[in-house]
Amino acid sequence: GQQLNQSPQSMFIQEGEDVSMNCTSSSIFNTWLWYKQDPGEGPVLLIALYKAGELTSNGRLTAQFGITRKDSFLNISASIPSDVGIYFCAGRPPQYSGGGADGLTFGKGTHLIIQP
Amino acid sequence: KAGVTQTPRYLIKTRGQQVTLSCSPISGHRSVSWYQQTPGQGLQFLFEYFSETQRNKGNFPGRFSGRQFSNSRSEMNVSTLELGDSALYLCASSLSPREYEQYFGPGTRLTVT
């Protein structure tokens, strides 16, 4: 099946710093989703991207759908303590253009830790 | 609008037993998907239901099964539990199978001893 490489695996940053993480694949995707998961909870959808080159913001979060369609990036500006958690990317390859969950592949996550 | 709800939140079972987990999707959402999350394997797709029919199934043994009711609520069942079935089981709903945006519930933490 499809493989998504998410990096970095973990990040230790100071409060107020900007954060960048990315997701890459050897295959093209036609949808990218970014989720955040807090301990003991389910993932929460942050941003959805549908077009190559698309740049979408949600408050301090900005995500981009890579032009090659093989990667996506998530940036968090001016991090705050509540940004702590695990960030997952998820992608859907073109052959699953009919929708449905079977084509949704998840990365292993980036664990964000913020030091006050 | 209420989010996806899952019951129970925590469950402890012994090997060989069976378990049933429940999921209520967001009101108006008709597609329900189930995922298994473990530290080693991450999030893995189990199956998806729409209109009471299983549309897709991931690479899991037949011990894992599910169903969907006419009100879109869904249950998943795991029979003959194994230690390796210990995981967080997540349910996600979407308006329909054509909607890529899925919304997750808080999960059921299953521990098999």
Side-chain angles (χ1 to χ4, degrees), chain A residues 31 33 35 37 40 42-43 48 50 88 92 97-102 104 106 108, chain B residues 9 33 35 37 40-41 43 45 48 55-56 90 97-98 100-102 104-106:
Chain A
T31 304
L33 306 173
Y35 288 88
Q37 186 174 25
Y50 296 103
F88 291 98
R92 183 184 307 282
S97 58
D102 55 317
L104 204 57
F106 282 83
K108 292 290 176 74
Chain B
R9 291 293 308 274
S33 302
Y35 293 82
Q37 186 177 33
Q41 298 299 318
L43 272 156
F45 170 74
E48 181 197 19
R55 291 188 72 245
N56 300 293
L90 292 160
R98 291 193 171 273
Y100 300 129
E101 297 178 21
Q102 295 188 342
F104 284 85

PDB file of all heavy atoms in Angstrom, chain A residues 31 33 35 37 40 42-43 48 50 88 92 97-102 104 106 108, chain B residues 9 33 35 37 40-41 43 45 48 55-56 90 97-98 100-102 104-106:
ATOM      1  N   THR A  31      -5.378  14.284  -2.349  1.00  0.00           N
ATOM      2  CA  THR A  31      -5.946  14.918  -1.165  1.00  0.00           C
ATOM      3  C   THR A  31      -4.948  14.787  -0.021  1.00  0.00           C
ATOM      4  O   THR A  31      -4.335  13.729   0.145  1.00  0.00           O
ATOM      5  CB  THR A  31      -7.268  14.249  -0.724  1.00  0.00           C
ATOM      6  OG1 THR A  31      -8.192  14.265  -1.804  1.00  0.00           O
ATOM      7  CG2 THR A  31      -7.881  14.974   0.471  1.00  0.00           C
ATOM      8  N   LEU A  33      -4.745  15.650   4.200  1.00  0.00           N
ATOM      9  CA  LEU A  33      -5.427  16.102   5.413  1.00  0.00           C
ATOM     10  C   LEU A  33      -4.413  16.170   6.550  1.00  0.00           C
ATOM     11  O   LEU A  33      -3.516  15.329   6.634  1.00  0.00           O
ATOM     12  CB  LEU A  33      -6.554  15.128   5.802  1.00  0.00           C
ATOM     13  CG  LEU A  33      -7.600  14.802   4.734  1.00  0.00           C
ATOM     14  CD1 LEU A  33      -8.533  13.709   5.233  1.00  0.00           C
ATOM     15  CD2 LEU A  33      -8.393  16.045   4.362  1.00  0.00           C
ATOM     16  N   TYR A  35      -4.178  16.338  10.767  1.00  0.00           N
ATOM     17  CA  TYR A  35      -4.908  16.130  12.012  1.00  0.00           C
ATOM     18  C   TYR A  35      -3.986  16.385  13.202  1.00  0.00           C
ATOM     19  O   TYR A  35      -2.765  16.227  13.109  1.00  0.00           O
ATOM     20  CB  TYR A  35      -5.401  14.677  12.122  1.00  0.00           C
ATOM     21  CG  TYR A  35      -6.543  14.306  11.215  1.00  0.00           C
ATOM     22  CD1 TYR A  35      -6.306  13.837   9.929  1.00  0.00           C
ATOM     23  CD2 TYR A  35      -7.854  14.379  11.664  1.00  0.00           C
ATOM     24  CE1 TYR A  35      -7.352  13.461   9.110  1.00  0.00           C
ATOM     25  CE2 TYR A  35      -8.914  14.003  10.847  1.00  0.00           C
ATOM     26  CZ  TYR A  35      -8.654  13.542   9.571  1.00  0.00           C
ATOM     27  OH  TYR A  35      -9.707  13.166   8.758  1.00  0.00           O
ATOM     28  N   GLN A  37      -3.742  15.176  17.348  1.00  0.00           N
ATOM     29  CA  GLN A  37      -4.290  14.272  18.345  1.00  0.00           C
ATOM     30  C   GLN A  37      -3.705  14.590  19.711  1.00  0.00           C
ATOM     31  O   GLN A  37      -2.487  14.605  19.889  1.00  0.00           O
ATOM     32  CB  GLN A  37      -4.002  12.811  17.976  1.00  0.00           C
ATOM     33  CG  GLN A  37      -4.666  11.813  18.901  1.00  0.00           C
ATOM     34  CD  GLN A  37      -4.493  10.388  18.425  1.00  0.00           C
ATOM     35  OE1 GLN A  37      -3.554  10.065  17.709  1.00  0.00           O
ATOM     36  NE2 GLN A  37      -5.422   9.510  18.800  1.00  0.00           N
ATOM     37  N   GLY A  40      -5.129  10.589  24.719  1.00  0.00           N
ATOM     38  CA  GLY A  40      -6.408  10.038  25.134  1.00  0.00           C
ATOM     39  C   GLY A  40      -7.598  10.481  24.305  1.00  0.00           C
ATOM     40  O   GLY A  40      -8.737  10.156  24.648  1.00  0.00           O
ATOM     41  N   GLY A  42      -9.278  11.379  20.116  1.00  0.00           N
ATOM     42  CA  GLY A  42      -9.150  11.056  18.713  1.00  0.00           C
ATOM     43  C   GLY A  42      -8.550  12.218  17.939  1.00  0.00           C
ATOM     44  O   GLY A  42      -8.531  13.354  18.417  1.00  0.00           O
ATOM     45  N   PRO A  43      -8.059  11.958  16.735  1.00  0.00           N
ATOM     46  CA  PRO A  43      -7.501  13.042  15.914  1.00  0.00           C
ATOM     47  C   PRO A  43      -8.566  14.067  15.550  1.00  0.00           C
ATOM     48  O   PRO A  43      -9.714  13.712  15.289  1.00  0.00           O
ATOM     49  CB  PRO A  43      -7.005  12.301  14.674  1.00  0.00           C
ATOM     50  CG  PRO A  43      -6.837  10.880  15.088  1.00  0.00           C
ATOM     51  CD  PRO A  43      -7.899  10.649  16.107  1.00  0.00           C
ATOM     52  N   ALA A  48      -7.679  20.665   5.331  1.00  0.00           N
ATOM     53  CA  ALA A  48      -7.824  19.755   4.198  1.00  0.00           C
ATOM     54  C   ALA A  48      -7.351  20.469   2.936  1.00  0.00           C
ATOM     55  O   ALA A  48      -7.660  21.646   2.732  1.00  0.00           O
ATOM     56  CB  ALA A  48      -9.279  19.324   4.040  1.00  0.00           C
ATOM     57  N   TYR A  50      -6.871  20.082  -1.407  1.00  0.00           N
ATOM     58  CA  TYR A  50      -7.391  19.305  -2.524  1.00  0.00           C
ATOM     59  C   TYR A  50      -6.700  19.570  -3.857  1.00  0.00           C
ATOM     60  O   TYR A  50      -6.931  18.835  -4.815  1.00  0.00           O
ATOM     61  CB  TYR A  50      -8.888  19.570  -2.688  1.00  0.00           C
ATOM     62  CG  TYR A  50      -9.701  19.123  -1.501  1.00  0.00           C
ATOM     63  CD1 TYR A  50     -10.174  20.049  -0.573  1.00  0.00           C
ATOM     64  CD2 TYR A  50      -9.972  17.780  -1.290  1.00  0.00           C
ATOM     65  CE1 TYR A  50     -10.904  19.645   0.521  1.00  0.00           C
ATOM     66  CE2 TYR A  50     -10.708  17.365  -0.187  1.00  0.00           C
ATOM     67  CZ  TYR A  50     -11.170  18.301   0.705  1.00  0.00           C
ATOM     68  OH  TYR A  50     -11.889  17.900   1.788  1.00  0.00           O
ATOM     69  N   PHE A  88      -0.712  14.435  12.598  1.00  0.00           N
ATOM     70  CA  PHE A  88      -0.721  13.407  11.565  1.00  0.00           C
ATOM     71  C   PHE A  88      -1.074  14.013  10.214  1.00  0.00           C
ATOM     72  O   PHE A  88      -1.963  14.851  10.114  1.00  0.00           O
ATOM     73  CB  PHE A  88      -1.772  12.329  11.863  1.00  0.00           C
ATOM     74  CG  PHE A  88      -1.464  11.469  13.041  1.00  0.00           C
ATOM     75  CD1 PHE A  88      -2.027  11.740  14.278  1.00  0.00           C
ATOM     76  CD2 PHE A  88      -0.625  10.372  12.914  1.00  0.00           C
ATOM     77  CE1 PHE A  88      -1.757  10.944  15.365  1.00  0.00           C
ATOM     78  CE2 PHE A  88      -0.345   9.573  14.005  1.00  0.00           C
ATOM     79  CZ  PHE A  88      -0.921   9.859  15.240  1.00  0.00           C
ATOM     80  N   ARG A  92      -4.690  10.739   0.205  1.00  0.00           N
ATOM     81  CA  ARG A  92      -5.498   9.825  -0.602  1.00  0.00           C
ATOM     82  C   ARG A  92      -4.942   9.815  -2.025  1.00  0.00           C
ATOM     83  O   ARG A  92      -4.866  10.861  -2.673  1.00  0.00           O
ATOM     84  CB  ARG A  92      -6.953  10.253  -0.630  1.00  0.00           C
ATOM     85  CG  ARG A  92      -7.858   9.294  -1.388  1.00  0.00           C
ATOM     86  CD  ARG A  92      -9.282   9.818  -1.461  1.00  0.00           C
ATOM     87  NE  ARG A  92      -9.830  10.163  -0.168  1.00  0.00           N
ATOM     88  CZ  ARG A  92     -10.282   9.282   0.702  1.00  0.00           C
ATOM     89  NH1 ARG A  92     -10.235   7.997   0.420  1.00  0.00           N
ATOM     90  NH2 ARG A  92     -10.782   9.681   1.855  1.00  0.00           N
ATOM     91  N   SER A  97     -10.368   8.086  -6.174  1.00  0.00           N
ATOM     92  CA  SER A  97     -11.051   9.359  -6.398  1.00  0.00           C
ATOM     93  C   SER A  97     -12.538   9.261  -6.113  1.00  0.00           C
ATOM     94  O   SER A  97     -13.217  10.266  -6.034  1.00  0.00           O
ATOM     95  CB  SER A  97     -10.848   9.813  -7.843  1.00  0.00           C
ATOM     96  OG  SER A  97     -11.342   8.818  -8.737  1.00  0.00           O
ATOM     97  N   GLY A  98     -13.062   8.049  -5.934  1.00  0.00           N
ATOM     98  CA  GLY A  98     -14.481   7.907  -5.640  1.00  0.00           C
ATOM     99  C   GLY A  98     -14.810   8.152  -4.194  1.00  0.00           C
ATOM    100  O   GLY A  98     -15.965   8.033  -3.792  1.00  0.00           O
ATOM    101  N   GLY A  99     -13.827   8.518  -3.415  1.00  0.00           N
ATOM    102  CA  GLY A  99     -14.094   8.776  -2.008  1.00  0.00           C
ATOM    103  C   GLY A  99     -13.993   7.513  -1.191  1.00  0.00           C
ATOM    104  O   GLY A  99     -13.554   6.481  -1.661  1.00  0.00           O
ATOM    105  N   GLY A 100     -14.400   7.581   0.054  1.00  0.00           N
ATOM    106  CA  GLY A 100     -14.303   6.417   0.905  1.00  0.00           C
ATOM    107  C   GLY A 100     -13.022   6.422   1.692  1.00  0.00           C
ATOM    108  O   GLY A 100     -12.072   7.107   1.364  1.00  0.00           O
ATOM    109  N   ALA A 101     -13.025   5.649   2.725  1.00  0.00           N
ATOM    110  CA  ALA A 101     -11.902   5.686   3.656  1.00  0.00           C
ATOM    111  C   ALA A 101     -10.789   4.747   3.274  1.00  0.00           C
ATOM    112  O   ALA A 101      -9.699   4.838   3.781  1.00  0.00           O
ATOM    113  CB  ALA A 101     -12.398   5.345   5.049  1.00  0.00           C
ATOM    114  N   ASP A 102     -11.013   3.814   2.368  1.00  0.00           N
ATOM    115  CA  ASP A 102     -10.014   2.786   2.146  1.00  0.00           C
ATOM    116  C   ASP A 102      -8.724   3.348   1.617  1.00  0.00           C
ATOM    117  O   ASP A 102      -7.667   2.783   1.821  1.00  0.00           O
ATOM    118  CB  ASP A 102     -10.559   1.716   1.197  1.00  0.00           C
ATOM    119  CG  ASP A 102     -11.044   2.314  -0.104  1.00  0.00           C
ATOM    120  OD1 ASP A 102     -11.711   3.351  -0.066  1.00  0.00           O
ATOM    121  OD2 ASP A 102     -10.743   1.739  -1.154  1.00  0.00           O
ATOM    122  N   LEU A 104      -7.353   6.229   2.446  1.00  0.00           N
ATOM    123  CA  LEU A 104      -6.750   7.217   3.327  1.00  0.00           C
ATOM    124  C   LEU A 104      -5.591   6.564   4.067  1.00  0.00           C
ATOM    125  O   LEU A 104      -5.769   5.651   4.852  1.00  0.00           O
ATOM    126  CB  LEU A 104      -7.783   7.739   4.315  1.00  0.00           C
ATOM    127  CG  LEU A 104      -7.569   9.123   4.936  1.00  0.00           C
ATOM    128  CD1 LEU A 104      -7.440  10.188   3.862  1.00  0.00           C
ATOM    129  CD2 LEU A 104      -8.717   9.446   5.868  1.00  0.00           C
ATOM    130  N   PHE A 106      -2.278   7.141   6.588  1.00  0.00           N
ATOM    131  CA  PHE A 106      -1.799   8.054   7.611  1.00  0.00           C
ATOM    132  C   PHE A 106      -0.288   7.934   7.794  1.00  0.00           C
ATOM    133  O   PHE A 106       0.276   6.838   7.703  1.00  0.00           O
ATOM    134  CB  PHE A 106      -2.472   7.756   8.948  1.00  0.00           C
ATOM    135  CG  PHE A 106      -3.874   8.273   9.056  1.00  0.00           C
ATOM    136  CD1 PHE A 106      -4.934   7.555   8.545  1.00  0.00           C
ATOM    137  CD2 PHE A 106      -4.124   9.493   9.663  1.00  0.00           C
ATOM    138  CE1 PHE A 106      -6.235   8.033   8.637  1.00  0.00           C
ATOM    139  CE2 PHE A 106      -5.417   9.982   9.766  1.00  0.00           C
ATOM    140  CZ  PHE A 106      -6.473   9.249   9.248  1.00  0.00           C
ATOM    141  N   LYS A 108       3.041   8.399  10.424  1.00  0.00           N
ATOM    142  CA  LYS A 108       3.227   7.933  11.792  1.00  0.00           C
ATOM    143  C   LYS A 108       3.141   9.066  12.815  1.00  0.00           C
ATOM    144  O   LYS A 108       3.141   8.816  14.010  1.00  0.00           O
ATOM    145  CB  LYS A 108       4.572   7.215  11.925  1.00  0.00           C
ATOM    146  CG  LYS A 108       4.626   5.885  11.165  1.00  0.00           C
ATOM    147  CD  LYS A 108       3.750   4.850  11.801  1.00  0.00           C
ATOM    148  CE  LYS A 108       3.700   3.547  11.021  1.00  0.00           C
ATOM    149  NZ  LYS A 108       4.905   2.738  11.142  1.00  0.00           N
TER     150      LYS A 108
ATOM    151  N   ARG B   9     -15.347   4.076  26.633  1.00  0.00           N
ATOM    152  CA  ARG B   9     -14.069   4.734  26.409  1.00  0.00           C
ATOM    153  C   ARG B   9     -12.904   3.823  26.768  1.00  0.00           C
ATOM    154  O   ARG B   9     -11.839   3.889  26.159  1.00  0.00           O
ATOM    155  CB  ARG B   9     -13.970   6.013  27.242  1.00  0.00           C
ATOM    156  CG  ARG B   9     -14.888   7.135  26.797  1.00  0.00           C
ATOM    157  CD  ARG B   9     -14.496   7.692  25.421  1.00  0.00           C
ATOM    158  NE  ARG B   9     -13.103   8.076  25.333  1.00  0.00           N
ATOM    159  CZ  ARG B   9     -12.606   9.248  25.694  1.00  0.00           C
ATOM    160  NH1 ARG B   9     -13.410  10.170  26.175  1.00  0.00           N
ATOM    161  NH2 ARG B   9     -11.322   9.513  25.567  1.00  0.00           N
ATOM    162  N   SER B  33     -16.269   4.970   9.486  1.00  0.00           N
ATOM    163  CA  SER B  33     -15.066   4.171   9.293  1.00  0.00           C
ATOM    164  C   SER B  33     -14.458   3.837  10.642  1.00  0.00           C
ATOM    165  O   SER B  33     -14.589   4.605  11.592  1.00  0.00           O
ATOM    166  CB  SER B  33     -14.036   4.945   8.457  1.00  0.00           C
ATOM    167  OG  SER B  33     -14.578   5.308   7.209  1.00  0.00           O
ATOM    168  N   TYR B  35     -10.829   2.550  12.659  1.00  0.00           N
ATOM    169  CA  TYR B  35      -9.385   2.454  12.576  1.00  0.00           C
ATOM    170  C   TYR B  35      -8.836   1.853  13.877  1.00  0.00           C
ATOM    171  O   TYR B  35      -9.409   2.044  14.949  1.00  0.00           O
ATOM    172  CB  TYR B  35      -8.740   3.840  12.400  1.00  0.00           C
ATOM    173  CG  TYR B  35      -9.038   4.518  11.095  1.00  0.00           C
ATOM    174  CD1 TYR B  35     -10.231   5.220  10.908  1.00  0.00           C
ATOM    175  CD2 TYR B  35      -8.127   4.472  10.042  1.00  0.00           C
ATOM    176  CE1 TYR B  35     -10.499   5.843   9.702  1.00  0.00           C
ATOM    177  CE2 TYR B  35      -8.390   5.105   8.840  1.00  0.00           C
ATOM    178  CZ  TYR B  35      -9.584   5.783   8.679  1.00  0.00           C
ATOM    179  OH  TYR B  35      -9.851   6.408   7.478  1.00  0.00           O
ATOM    180  N   GLN B  37      -5.423   2.030  16.208  1.00  0.00           N
ATOM    181  CA  GLN B  37      -4.209   2.809  16.401  1.00  0.00           C
ATOM    182  C   GLN B  37      -3.338   2.155  17.464  1.00  0.00           C
ATOM    183  O   GLN B  37      -3.763   1.941  18.599  1.00  0.00           O
ATOM    184  CB  GLN B  37      -4.536   4.249  16.814  1.00  0.00           C
ATOM    185  CG  GLN B  37      -3.305   5.148  16.891  1.00  0.00           C
ATOM    186  CD  GLN B  37      -3.641   6.581  17.240  1.00  0.00           C
ATOM    187  OE1 GLN B  37      -4.573   6.858  17.983  1.00  0.00           O
ATOM    188  NE2 GLN B  37      -2.870   7.517  16.693  1.00  0.00           N
ATOM    189  N   GLY B  40       3.150   1.081  17.426  1.00  0.00           N
ATOM    190  CA  GLY B  40       4.041   0.539  16.422  1.00  0.00           C
ATOM    191  C   GLY B  40       3.546   0.694  14.990  1.00  0.00           C
ATOM    192  O   GLY B  40       4.316   1.007  14.087  1.00  0.00           O
ATOM    193  N   GLN B  41       2.271   0.495  14.779  1.00  0.00           N
ATOM    194  CA  GLN B  41       1.702   0.506  13.423  1.00  0.00           C
ATOM    195  C   GLN B  41       0.999   1.802  13.063  1.00  0.00           C
ATOM    196  O   GLN B  41       0.666   2.017  11.894  1.00  0.00           O
ATOM    197  CB  GLN B  41       0.712  -0.649  13.262  1.00  0.00           C
ATOM    198  CG  GLN B  41       1.326  -2.032  13.422  1.00  0.00           C
ATOM    199  CD  GLN B  41       2.388  -2.298  12.390  1.00  0.00           C
ATOM    200  OE1 GLN B  41       2.226  -1.962  11.216  1.00  0.00           O
ATOM    201  NE2 GLN B  41       3.494  -2.875  12.810  1.00  0.00           N
ATOM    202  N   LEU B  43      -2.021   4.493  12.668  1.00  0.00           N
ATOM    203  CA  LEU B  43      -3.439   4.385  12.357  1.00  0.00           C
ATOM    204  C   LEU B  43      -3.635   3.458  11.165  1.00  0.00           C
ATOM    205  O   LEU B  43      -3.117   3.716  10.081  1.00  0.00           O
ATOM    206  CB  LEU B  43      -3.997   5.767  12.011  1.00  0.00           C
ATOM    207  CG  LEU B  43      -4.518   6.610  13.158  1.00  0.00           C
ATOM    208  CD1 LEU B  43      -4.473   8.085  12.795  1.00  0.00           C
ATOM    209  CD2 LEU B  43      -5.941   6.195  13.489  1.00  0.00           C
ATOM    210  N   PHE B  45      -6.539   1.364   8.812  1.00  0.00           N
ATOM    211  CA  PHE B  45      -7.939   1.293   8.425  1.00  0.00           C
ATOM    212  C   PHE B  45      -8.486  -0.119   8.628  1.00  0.00           C
ATOM    213  O   PHE B  45      -7.875  -1.105   8.180  1.00  0.00           O
ATOM    214  CB  PHE B  45      -8.060   1.712   6.962  1.00  0.00           C
ATOM    215  CG  PHE B  45      -9.401   1.466   6.343  1.00  0.00           C
ATOM    216  CD1 PHE B  45     -10.489   2.271   6.670  1.00  0.00           C
ATOM    217  CD2 PHE B  45      -9.581   0.451   5.427  1.00  0.00           C
ATOM    218  CE1 PHE B  45     -11.722   2.055   6.091  1.00  0.00           C
ATOM    219  CE2 PHE B  45     -10.804   0.228   4.835  1.00  0.00           C
ATOM    220  CZ  PHE B  45     -11.883   1.017   5.166  1.00  0.00           C
ATOM    221  N   GLU B  48     -15.141   0.381   6.432  1.00  0.00           N
ATOM    222  CA  GLU B  48     -16.009   1.531   6.253  1.00  0.00           C
ATOM    223  C   GLU B  48     -17.418   1.045   5.946  1.00  0.00           C
ATOM    224  O   GLU B  48     -17.610   0.084   5.184  1.00  0.00           O
ATOM    225  CB  GLU B  48     -15.526   2.416   5.114  1.00  0.00           C
ATOM    226  CG  GLU B  48     -16.402   3.656   4.906  1.00  0.00           C
ATOM    227  CD  GLU B  48     -16.187   4.315   3.568  1.00  0.00           C
ATOM    228  OE1 GLU B  48     -15.647   3.671   2.656  1.00  0.00           O
ATOM    229  OE2 GLU B  48     -16.586   5.473   3.428  1.00  0.00           O
ATOM    230  N   ARG B  55     -18.386  -1.110   2.739  1.00  0.00           N
ATOM    231  CA  ARG B  55     -17.879  -0.708   1.425  1.00  0.00           C
ATOM    232  C   ARG B  55     -16.450  -1.182   1.218  1.00  0.00           C
ATOM    233  O   ARG B  55     -16.072  -1.551   0.109  1.00  0.00           O
ATOM    234  CB  ARG B  55     -17.924   0.808   1.280  1.00  0.00           C
ATOM    235  CG  ARG B  55     -19.296   1.401   1.187  1.00  0.00           C
ATOM    236  CD  ARG B  55     -19.203   2.866   0.852  1.00  0.00           C
ATOM    237  NE  ARG B  55     -18.800   3.112  -0.529  1.00  0.00           N
ATOM    238  CZ  ARG B  55     -17.676   3.694  -0.892  1.00  0.00           C
ATOM    239  NH1 ARG B  55     -16.793   4.068   0.014  1.00  0.00           N
ATOM    240  NH2 ARG B  55     -17.402   3.906  -2.163  1.00  0.00           N
ATOM    241  N   ASN B  56     -15.684  -1.084   2.255  1.00  0.00           N
ATOM    242  CA  ASN B  56     -14.279  -1.439   2.136  1.00  0.00           C
ATOM    243  C   ASN B  56     -13.781  -2.062   3.422  1.00  0.00           C
ATOM    244  O   ASN B  56     -14.314  -1.810   4.498  1.00  0.00           O
ATOM    245  CB  ASN B  56     -13.443  -0.192   1.834  1.00  0.00           C
ATOM    246  CG  ASN B  56     -13.855   0.478   0.549  1.00  0.00           C
ATOM    247  OD1 ASN B  56     -13.683  -0.050  -0.529  1.00  0.00           O
ATOM    248  ND2 ASN B  56     -14.428   1.663   0.661  1.00  0.00           N
ATOM    249  N   LEU B  90     -10.595   3.719  16.877  1.00  0.00           N
ATOM    250  CA  LEU B  90     -11.179   5.005  16.542  1.00  0.00           C
ATOM    251  C   LEU B  90     -12.252   4.854  15.479  1.00  0.00           C
ATOM    252  O   LEU B  90     -12.096   4.097  14.532  1.00  0.00           O
ATOM    253  CB  LEU B  90     -10.089   5.954  16.024  1.00  0.00           C
ATOM    254  CG  LEU B  90      -9.048   6.396  17.045  1.00  0.00           C
ATOM    255  CD1 LEU B  90      -7.796   6.910  16.345  1.00  0.00           C
ATOM    256  CD2 LEU B  90      -9.618   7.484  17.945  1.00  0.00           C
ATOM    257  N   PRO B  97     -19.399   8.561   1.576  1.00  0.00           N
ATOM    258  CA  PRO B  97     -18.105   8.021   1.162  1.00  0.00           C
ATOM    259  C   PRO B  97     -17.350   8.949   0.217  1.00  0.00           C
ATOM    260  O   PRO B  97     -16.149   8.838   0.064  1.00  0.00           O
ATOM    261  CB  PRO B  97     -18.474   6.712   0.466  1.00  0.00           C
ATOM    262  CG  PRO B  97     -19.775   6.324   1.065  1.00  0.00           C
ATOM    263  CD  PRO B  97     -20.486   7.617   1.317  1.00  0.00           C
ATOM    264  N   ARG B  98     -18.053   9.876  -0.432  1.00  0.00           N
ATOM    265  CA  ARG B  98     -17.379  10.782  -1.364  1.00  0.00           C
ATOM    266  C   ARG B  98     -16.760  11.981  -0.653  1.00  0.00           C
ATOM    267  O   ARG B  98     -16.081  12.784  -1.275  1.00  0.00           O
ATOM    268  CB  ARG B  98     -18.347  11.248  -2.443  1.00  0.00           C
ATOM    269  CG  ARG B  98     -18.732  10.127  -3.397  1.00  0.00           C
ATOM    270  CD  ARG B  98     -19.431  10.647  -4.626  1.00  0.00           C
ATOM    271  NE  ARG B  98     -19.581   9.578  -5.606  1.00  0.00           N
ATOM    272  CZ  ARG B  98     -18.649   9.267  -6.499  1.00  0.00           C
ATOM    273  NH1 ARG B  98     -17.525   9.950  -6.556  1.00  0.00           N
ATOM    274  NH2 ARG B  98     -18.853   8.282  -7.348  1.00  0.00           N
ATOM    275  N   TYR B 100     -14.065  13.399   1.667  1.00  0.00           N
ATOM    276  CA  TYR B 100     -12.762  12.970   2.152  1.00  0.00           C
ATOM    277  C   TYR B 100     -12.515  13.376   3.584  1.00  0.00           C
ATOM    278  O   TYR B 100     -11.715  12.770   4.267  1.00  0.00           O
ATOM    279  CB  TYR B 100     -11.661  13.566   1.277  1.00  0.00           C
ATOM    280  CG  TYR B 100     -11.757  13.153  -0.176  1.00  0.00           C
ATOM    281  CD1 TYR B 100     -11.730  14.103  -1.184  1.00  0.00           C
ATOM    282  CD2 TYR B 100     -11.869  11.821  -0.525  1.00  0.00           C
ATOM    283  CE1 TYR B 100     -11.809  13.721  -2.513  1.00  0.00           C
ATOM    284  CE2 TYR B 100     -11.948  11.432  -1.848  1.00  0.00           C
ATOM    285  CZ  TYR B 100     -11.916  12.385  -2.841  1.00  0.00           C
ATOM    286  OH  TYR B 100     -12.001  12.008  -4.152  1.00  0.00           O
ATOM    287  N   GLU B 101     -13.192  14.408   4.055  1.00  0.00           N
ATOM    288  CA  GLU B 101     -12.943  14.901   5.410  1.00  0.00           C
ATOM    289  C   GLU B 101     -13.655  14.024   6.419  1.00  0.00           C
ATOM    290  O   GLU B 101     -14.883  13.937   6.432  1.00  0.00           O
ATOM    291  CB  GLU B 101     -13.405  16.353   5.519  1.00  0.00           C
ATOM    292  CG  GLU B 101     -12.636  17.291   4.605  1.00  0.00           C
ATOM    293  CD  GLU B 101     -13.113  18.710   4.686  1.00  0.00           C
ATOM    294  OE1 GLU B 101     -13.748  19.076   5.692  1.00  0.00           O
ATOM    295  OE2 GLU B 101     -12.858  19.473   3.735  1.00  0.00           O
ATOM    296  N   GLN B 102     -12.866  13.375   7.233  1.00  0.00           N
ATOM    297  CA  GLN B 102     -13.405  12.486   8.248  1.00  0.00           C
ATOM    298  C   GLN B 102     -13.209  13.108   9.626  1.00  0.00           C
ATOM    299  O   GLN B 102     -12.179  13.729   9.899  1.00  0.00           O
ATOM    300  CB  GLN B 102     -12.698  11.137   8.213  1.00  0.00           C
ATOM    301  CG  GLN B 102     -12.937  10.382   6.921  1.00  0.00           C
ATOM    302  CD  GLN B 102     -12.392   8.985   6.988  1.00  0.00           C
ATOM    303  OE1 GLN B 102     -11.568   8.655   7.813  1.00  0.00           O
ATOM    304  NE2 GLN B 102     -12.876   8.137   6.111  1.00  0.00           N
ATOM    305  N   PHE B 104     -13.149  12.309  13.692  1.00  0.00           N
ATOM    306  CA  PHE B 104     -12.937  11.185  14.585  1.00  0.00           C
ATOM    307  C   PHE B 104     -13.619  11.353  15.933  1.00  0.00           C
ATOM    308  O   PHE B 104     -13.787  12.480  16.422  1.00  0.00           O
ATOM    309  CB  PHE B 104     -11.437  10.992  14.845  1.00  0.00           C
ATOM    310  CG  PHE B 104     -10.703  10.365  13.707  1.00  0.00           C
ATOM    311  CD1 PHE B 104     -10.217  11.131  12.656  1.00  0.00           C
ATOM    312  CD2 PHE B 104     -10.492   8.988  13.671  1.00  0.00           C
ATOM    313  CE1 PHE B 104      -9.537  10.551  11.598  1.00  0.00           C
ATOM    314  CE2 PHE B 104      -9.809   8.399  12.624  1.00  0.00           C
ATOM    315  CZ  PHE B 104      -9.335   9.174  11.587  1.00  0.00           C
ATOM    316  N   GLY B 105     -13.968  10.224  16.541  1.00  0.00           N
ATOM    317  CA  GLY B 105     -14.419  10.199  17.916  1.00  0.00           C
ATOM    318  C   GLY B 105     -13.225  10.092  18.850  1.00  0.00           C
ATOM    319  O   GLY B 105     -12.080  10.025  18.394  1.00  0.00           O
ATOM    320  N   PRO B 106     -13.470  10.051  20.162  1.00  0.00           N
ATOM    321  CA  PRO B 106     -12.371  10.002  21.134  1.00  0.00           C
ATOM    322  C   PRO B 106     -11.699   8.642  21.237  1.00  0.00           C
ATOM    323  O   PRO B 106     -10.607   8.528  21.789  1.00  0.00           O
ATOM    324  CB  PRO B 106     -13.054  10.360  22.446  1.00  0.00           C
ATOM    325  CG  PRO B 106     -14.465   9.903  22.256  1.00  0.00           C
ATOM    326  CD  PRO B 106     -14.778  10.134  20.815  1.00  0.00           C
TER     327      PRO B 106
END
